[in-house]
Amino acid sequence: MDKLAQGLGLGSADMSTISGLPYRIADFEPMTYLVRQGDVAIHCGLVVSGLLCSSKIGGDGSRQIVSFHLNGDLFGFQSIFLDESDHHIQVLSHASIFLIPKQAVLDAFEGNYAFRQALLRNMLKDLSISKEWLFSMGRRSALARVAHLICELAVRQDVAGLGNGLDYDWLSIGVQKGPPIGVQKRPPSLGGVTVTDAPFALVAA
C-alpha cells in the first residue's frame, strides 16, 4: 500500500484512503497481455517491478505504442470510466504487478475526495506525457524524438529511484511492431545509445 500511496502522491495522513482497498500482487512473464483493446478491464494496477507498455491497434492491424509504465507507475485507472478498454496493456519484461479490482477503485473515487484528487492528478500527468509524444511525432526530427524519449525515460527512472542521473539500465523493449517514436528506418545513435526497431530496443553502446 505504501507504493500505491507514493504513486498517487498521497501523504501518510491519507493512507486511510487506500488501506481498505482489496489487492493482490502477481508476477508476469514478458509479452503477457494484462488487458487487450476492446476487453472489459477488471483491474487497475501499479508496477512494482518491470516494464509495461500501452498500445493501440488500427483498423488495418497496425500497432502503435502510446506509453510506457515503469516501477512505481500506475496504469489502467482510466478504465474505471470506460465500458471497454481502448488500448492494450502488455508486459515487456519480467514484472511484478499490484492489482486492484476496478470496482473497488471506482467506489473509492466516488467516495473519497483525497483519493479522487490524487487519481486525477496522476491522469493529468499521463496526459502531459502524451502531449509531448504527440508533439514529437508531429514536429521533432527523428533524432530529436529519440533524444526526447531517452530523456523522458531517464527522468522517470530517477523519480522511481532506478537511476543516478548519469547511468541507466536500458531495458530491451521486445516489441515487434509499433515503435513509440516512429523511427522505422536507419537507427540513429545518440550519446552512446543506439535505438533499433526490429524489435524496437534501447541498447547501451
Side-chain angles (χ1 to χ4, degrees), residues 37-189:
Q37 186 172 317
D39 287 353
V40 177
I42 59 175
H43 290 98
C44 308
L46 176 141
V47 183
V48 178
S49 63
L51 178 67
L52 281 63
C53 78
S54 293
S55 62
K56 289 187 69 70
I57 301 296
D60 60 354
S62 60
R63 181 186 187 193
Q64 178 66 47
I65 295 173
V66 295
S67 64
F68 291 116
H69 311 288
L70 312 177
N71 291 25
D73 283 350
L74 304 177
F75 66 89
F77 278 76
Q78 67 270 33
S79 68
I80 67 174
F81 306 109
L82 303 174
D83 293 331
E84 297 180 350
S85 177
D86 64 351
H87 62 281
H88 293 316
I89 300 177
Q90 186 180 22
V91 177
L92 299 181
S93 68
H94 294 281
S96 182
I97 309 294
F98 189 102
L99 296 171
I100 309 170
K102 183 175 77 171
Q103 187 57 51
V105 174
L106 181 59
D107 292 342
F109 183 88
E110 293 177 342
N112 189 288
Y113 177 80
F115 182 82
R116 182 163 59 249
Q117 292 297 103
L119 194 56
L120 288 173
R121 283 196 303 270
N122 189 271
M123 290 180 180
L124 289 173
K125 178 196 73 176
D126 290 343
L127 180 60
S128 179
I129 294 174
S130 294
K131 288 177 180 177
E132 286 293 337
W133 282 40
L134 285 171
F135 185 84
S136 285
M137 294 296 291
R139 303 302 299 173
R140 292 186 173 112
S141 66
L143 189 60
R145 293 199 299 273
V146 174
H148 192 273
L149 178 63
I150 290 172
C151 289
E152 176 201 321
L153 294 177
V155 169
R156 291 173 64 187
Q157 286 192 64
D158 284 342
V159 171
L162 303 176
N164 60 11
L166 294 173
D167 301 314
Y168 298 94
D169 181 17
W170 297 108
L171 293 174
S172 176
I173 302 168
V175 181
Q176 294 182 354
K177 295 182 180 179
I181 51 177
V183 177
Q184 297 281 359
K185 302 297 182 184
R186 208 173 138 189
S189 179

